[in-house]
């Protein structure tokens, strides 16, 4: 982990309701420069909702979000030039070819030498042969890799990954993780990484935040959480067991 302690993302006391339902209930955490944060929690815990708030796609009722030291709600378009996002539910336009998609996003992000950048990313993610195939004709895993290419087009300083490798086969995940770590080292970007594959998180994350029912239930390194939740004397992290233990624990419920 970098010794640099510059805060890239600061989420404070974030709360989001859908009607009467509280999806995010006072979440706070931060990500430092060059840090990869594993953002974990059971289905419905509030992870994607939090990510959508960080992207400014939905507005929280309460809380502040600062990215690169700036208030998201005041400087969103400026901030978003240096942020990117990728989710398992690929949302790239299905009728366009991979190349057309990536060119369109390059224009949005004003990427210099876009053709070179696109070719380089397609090569690195081993999908160059699909460059002229329409998105809708790709397999899930190929589409997910195209989404990762899109997410790296603008060399983001903050990358939000919501289950980015969920549809990839284990071999591709293994290579994808190694590549992502390499790119992170080259660029120093900060990453928020959500996954239900604990092996993936153990490979990438320097710190983990665990949420349930919209609240942060635990945070620390994978080994710290293992010692805290599973076995005091643990020598190796076991995030799978941490996940199971924390998921079965009720959060401190306040009267709502
Ligand atoms: N637009 C919406 N309207 C109503 N409820 C919503 C909406 N979006 C999310 N929710 C609810 O908010 C809760 C949190 O959803 P969210 O998608 O953030 O969970 P998650 O932690 O990402 O789960 P998963 O691991 O399944 O992706 C869920 O109970 C979900 O049903
Ligand atoms: Mg989700």
């Amino acid at each position: 982990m970098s010794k640099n302690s510059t805060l890239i993302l600061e989420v404070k006391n974030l709360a989001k309701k859908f009607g009467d339902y509280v999806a995010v209930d006072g979440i706070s955490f931060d990500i430092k420069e060059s840090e990869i944060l594993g953002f974990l929690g059971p289905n419905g815990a509030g992870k994607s909702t939090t990510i959508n708030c960080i992207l400014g796609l939905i507005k929280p009722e309460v809380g502040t979000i600062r990215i690169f030291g700036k208030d998201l709600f005041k400087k969103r378009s400026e901030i978003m030039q240096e942020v990117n996002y990728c989710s398992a539910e690929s949302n790239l336009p299905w009728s366009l070819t991979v190349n057309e998609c990536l060119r369109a996003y390059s224009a949005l992000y004003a990427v210099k030498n876009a053709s070179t950048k696109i070719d380089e990313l397609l090569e690195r993610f081993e999908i160059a042969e699909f460059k002229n195939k329409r998105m809708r004709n790709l397999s899930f895993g190929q589409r997910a890799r195209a989404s990762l290419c899109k997410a790296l087009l603008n060399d983001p300083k903050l990358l939000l990954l919501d289950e980015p490798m969920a549809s990839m086969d284990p071999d591709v995940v293994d290579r994808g993780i190694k590549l992502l770590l390499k790119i992170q080292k080259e660029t120093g970007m900060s990453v928020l990484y959500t996954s239900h594959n604990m092996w993936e998180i153990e490979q990438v994350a320097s710190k983990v935040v665990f949420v349930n029912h919209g609240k942060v239930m635990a945070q620390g390194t994978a080994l710290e959480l293992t010692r805290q939740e599973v076995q005091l004397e643990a020598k190796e992290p076991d995030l799978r067991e941490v996940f199971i233990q924390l998921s079965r624990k009720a959060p401190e419920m306040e009267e709502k």
Side-chain angles (χ1 to χ4, degrees):
M1 195 171 70
S2 163
K3 288 197 182 93
N4 195 332
S5 60
T6 306
L7 290 176
I8 294 296
L9 171 68
E10 300 161 79
V11 174
K12 280 205 186 102
N13 198 28
L14 194 74
K16 175 69 195 167
K17 277 188 192 175
F18 295 110
D20 285 340
Y21 181 77
V22 183
V24 175
D25 195 4
I27 283 184
S28 301
F29 64 91
D30 51 45
I31 303 183
K32 298 187 180 74
E33 192 171 353
S34 297
E35 192 168 56
I36 303 184
L37 177 84
F39 194 51
L40 302 184
N43 293 140
K47 304 179 299 296
S48 297
T49 305
T50 302
I51 290 174
N52 286 335
C53 291
I54 295 169
L55 287 166
L57 297 175
I58 54 176
K59 208 158 191 266
E61 280 81 34
V62 182
T64 57
I65 299 173
R66 296 182 73 79
I67 302 179
F68 317 134
K70 298 170 202 162
D71 185 327
L72 174 67
F73 307 117
K74 290 190 184 138
K75 304 267 177 178
R76 179 168 183 257
S77 48
E78 184 186 320
I79 290 169
M80 285 302 142
Q81 286 300 314
E82 297 189 290
V83 176
N84 215 320
Y85 162 78
C86 164
S87 135
E89 298 163 33
S90 168
N91 46 9
L92 299 181
W94 281 41
S95 57
L96 298 186
T97 66
V98 173
N99 188 43
E100 287 164 351
C101 271
L102 296 179
R103 287 207 76 96
Y105 279 98
S106 298
L108 279 178
Y109 288 110
V111 176
K112 291 195 189 95
N113 304 319
S115 310
T116 314
K117 182 81 187 170
I118 290 168
D119 286 342
E120 179 199 306
L121 284 166
L122 292 175
E123 284 292 334
R124 292 189 91 171
F125 281 92
E126 301 174 48
I127 50 167
E129 65 191 286
F130 308 119
K131 183 174 172 178
N132 295 312
K133 239 182 154 171
R134 294 199 190 284
M135 289 301 299
R136 67 163 167 261
N137 294 332
L138 297 184
S139 76
F140 277 140
Q142 291 161 353
R143 218 176 286 139
R145 282 186 269 168
S147 290
L148 274 168
C149 292
K150 172 256 157 190
L152 289 160
L153 273 175
N154 61 332
D155 293 320
K157 285 209 298 198
L158 174 65
L159 180 58
L160 307 169
L161 298 177
D162 196 356
E163 303 188 45
M165 308 212 186
S167 50
M168 294 182 194
D169 75 53
D171 176 39
V172 174
V173 170
D174 185 55
R175 283 182 286 148
I177 291 284
K178 286 182 180 128
L179 177 57
L180 196 71
L181 286 170
K182 193 159 183 263
I183 293 173
Q184 192 280 330
K185 263 211 177 105
E186 289 166 10
T187 61
M189 67 183 169
S190 306
V191 183
L192 183 148
Y193 197 110
T194 291
S195 175
H196 291 301
N197 177 346
M198 294 304 108
W199 177 84
E200 242 174 271
I201 300 291
E202 282 169 4
Q203 301 305 304
V204 299
S206 43
K207 191 173 89 181
V208 169
V209 168
F210 189 96
V211 294
N212 200 359
H213 300 285
K215 290 176 189 284
V216 173
M217 291 190 69
Q219 52 183 312
T221 65
L223 186 59
E224 280 165 4
L225 292 191
T226 307
R227 289 181 176 161
Q228 195 177 301
E229 303 297 331
V230 185
Q231 197 201 359
L232 208 57
E233 310 289 315
K235 299 269 184 289
E236 300 289 332
D238 185 354
L239 277 182
R240 188 176 169 276
E241 197 53 36
V242 169
F243 191 106
I244 291 170
Q245 294 301 328
L246 282 171
S247 300
R248 291 175 188 176
K249 246 189 207 175
E252 307 277 310
M253 291 301 229
E254 289 146 34
E255 288 298 314
K256 284 190 203 116

